[in-house]
Amino acid sequence: MDSPDKQPHPRARHTSTRVPHAVQREEEQRRAKKRSKEQLRTESLMLRREAFVLRETSYGQIAAASLSWIQSLGRCSVANIFTREFSTALVPRDPSPEISMSSLQRARALPSSEFLQQKDRASNYCVEKPQNAAAILRKKIFCSQQVQQTRLAPAERIKQGFQRFKQETYNQKPELFSQLATGQHPKFMVIACSDSRVCPTTILRFQPGEAFVVRNIANMVPPPEQAGYPGTSAALEYAVTALKVENILVIGHSRCGGIKALMTQKENTNKWSSFIEDWVEIGRPARAVTLAAAAQQQVEHQCTKCEKESVNVSLANLLAFPFIKEAVSSGTLALHGGYYNFVEGSFEYWWYGIDGKSQVSKF
């Protein structure tokens, strides 16, 4: 029989007691910290897959600015992770000359000054919420795809745009381009605005060789007596007398800057431009019609109406050219008006003849 004075073994006494709450909390904190590190690591790897591919000095300067911004977040643990990831991204691993569009787009996503201007605010945010640091950095560095594309190096953008055209269009239609090599015989002449949002070959899906296109501010056609603007007039003469186009289409569009300049132009004031004001004066008859019909309306509504009326003014000016009027009268040429609303994604069409225009169709 054991002696009553004998004490239990220390290890046995330890296993029989409960773990203190402090130890449990410490264990939970340790696990939470581990999960946080794993989450940050995952975010970091996602960024690394989309990291900069740098080929030119300008990209290197931007990446260096972004790296200095990230390093400035010294109080945040995530800064060390991103510094390491972006350091390895500074040198391209793939020596191939083929560079993906997305990588080069991201290389110019933001100017370097913006990285540095956001330094303090991002640093404070990382201290308060380090879990969101990856998302904040990613949002600041990688802009939308459209902004990335416009800030791509010009030469590279031109190169890749042509390569895509050649692969998807030129190489796929060898018979068409062989035929075009012998000459052009377009059925349409299109007069459209120079606005980058309203390219007629895009919105109407014209194929190469199908449309002879003239673009200018607010899709204006000056009357023949205004000899100071021979560019559009020369294109009209060539299209009708040499190319023998069968249709001339004038396209207006929503939110036109040229029409807004016309509608907001003040009388008896100093000129603010060298060419624009004189050019949009071609559309003054459309302004007069608009003010007579919608004088009490807001400027935005007036501009919308004037955008459509200016198309009719251009169509009327077309008929003032003798060779166009003769072709329309003989039935070898037809005039058309159109209005593209890129805000709501609609297109209005009408036919225009010597006696006026037809009913408008919207589609």
Side-chain angles (χ1 to χ4, degrees):
M1 184 175 181
D2 295 337
S3 170
D5 297 334
K6 188 175 181 181
Q7 298 294 328
H9 192 276
R11 181 174 298 176
R13 182 172 65 250
H14 176 72
T15 55
S16 63
T17 59
R18 298 182 63 185
V19 178
H21 292 294
V23 177
Q24 289 182 349
R25 286 196 299 271
E26 183 179 350
E27 179 67 16
E28 292 175 356
Q29 293 175 357
R30 186 185 66 80
R31 292 177 180 174
K33 187 175 181 181
K34 182 178 180 181
R35 286 195 300 268
S36 178
K37 287 183 177 180
E38 291 175 351
Q39 182 180 359
L40 291 174
R41 179 64 179 173
T42 301
E43 292 282 353
S44 175
L45 291 176
M46 291 176 63
L47 274 174
R48 186 172 184 176
R49 284 195 296 268
E50 300 179 0
F52 300 138
V53 176
L54 307 172
R55 293 285 182 180
E56 297 180 13
T57 305
S58 56
Y59 299 153
Q61 293 173 348
I62 292 177
S66 65
L67 181 59
S68 64
W69 177 42
I70 295 169
Q71 289 173 334
S72 69
L73 309 178
R75 292 173 290 174
C76 177
S77 59
V78 74
N80 296 329
I81 296 176
F82 282 116
T83 299
R84 183 171 65 253
E85 298 299 339
F86 276 84
S87 295
T88 52
L90 290 178
V91 180
R93 297 185 177 186
D94 183 10
S96 171
E98 296 296 330
I99 306 174
S100 68
M101 175 77 77
S102 59
S103 299
L104 285 169
Q105 290 168 352
R106 287 170 172 78
R108 283 279 181 100
L110 288 176
S112 58
S113 58
E114 283 192 46
F115 286 115
L116 303 179
Q117 288 173 1
Q118 300 293 336
K119 178 179 65 175
D120 296 334
R121 184 170 63 182
S123 177
N124 295 334
Y125 192 91
C126 287
V127 172
E128 297 172 2
K129 299 181 179 181
Q131 298 86 349
N132 296 331
I136 293 298
L137 289 174
R138 186 172 183 173
K139 182 178 180 180
K140 293 296 181 184
I141 296 174
F142 303 123
C143 294
S144 66
Q145 185 173 358
Q146 182 179 3
V147 175
Q148 294 160 3
Q149 182 168 344
T150 57
R151 292 186 177 179
L152 182 63
E156 192 64 34
R157 174 63 184 87
I158 293 170
K159 172 187 173 183
Q160 295 202 12
F162 174 74
Q163 288 178 338
R164 183 176 178 182
F165 160 77
K166 187 174 181 179
Q167 179 180 1
E168 298 178 2
T169 303
Y170 189 87
N171 292 342
Q172 300 300 322
K173 301 177 180 180
E175 293 182 359
L176 171 62
F177 288 97
S178 295
Q179 182 181 358
L180 293 178
T182 63
Q184 60 169 327
H185 304 283
K187 301 296 183 182
F188 283 87
M189 177 181 184
V190 180
I191 301 171
C193 184
S194 300
D195 193 304
S196 62
R197 300 166 291 183
V198 294
C199 179
T201 56
T202 299
I203 62 177
L204 297 181
R205 303 295 293 175
F206 284 119
Q207 297 300 309
E210 192 176 2
F212 185 75
V213 180
V214 173
R215 301 181 69 177
N216 57 44
I217 297 297
N219 42 270
M220 299 283 188
V221 175
E225 62 268 17
Q226 289 187 247
Y229 307 112
T232 302
S233 302
L236 286 169
E237 185 176 20
Y238 181 71
V240 175
T241 62
L243 297 179
K244 306 292 183 181
V245 297
E246 299 174 4
N247 305 276
I248 298 180
L249 170 64
V250 181
I251 305 176
H253 69 92
S254 58
R255 298 186 179 179
C256 178
I259 296 299
K260 185 175 182 180
L262 174 64
M263 291 303 301
T264 57
Q265 200 171 59
K266 303 298 182 182
E267 301 292 342
N268 301 321
T269 58
N270 294 330
K271 293 181 64 174
W272 53 269
S273 67
S274 300
F275 305 103
I276 299 174
E277 289 170 287
D278 292 338
W279 174 260
V280 298
E281 279 292 315
I282 298 170
R284 182 161 284 274
R287 171 190 162 108
V289 172
T290 300
L291 292 178
Q296 305 303 320
Q297 300 291 335
Q298 295 182 349
V299 175
E300 183 178 356
H301 179 79
Q302 291 178 349
C303 287
T304 299
K305 182 170 180 57
C306 190
E307 287 161 358
K308 299 177 183 180
E309 288 296 336
S310 68
V311 174
N312 291 326
V313 169
S314 290
L315 290 168
N317 288 342
L318 285 174
L319 288 173
F321 289 85
F323 54 87
I324 292 180
K325 186 176 181 179
E326 180 182 352
V328 171
S329 299
S330 63
T332 60
L333 178 66
L335 305 182
H336 312 268
Y339 179 77
Y340 169 49
N341 188 328
F342 57 77
V343 178
E344 61 180 40
S346 63
F347 193 91
E348 298 179 27
Y349 163 81
W350 60 94
W351 172 86
Y352 194 93
I354 296 178
D355 299 329
K357 71 173 186 177
S358 66
Q359 187 176 359
V360 176
S361 300
K362 187 173 181 179
F363 38 85

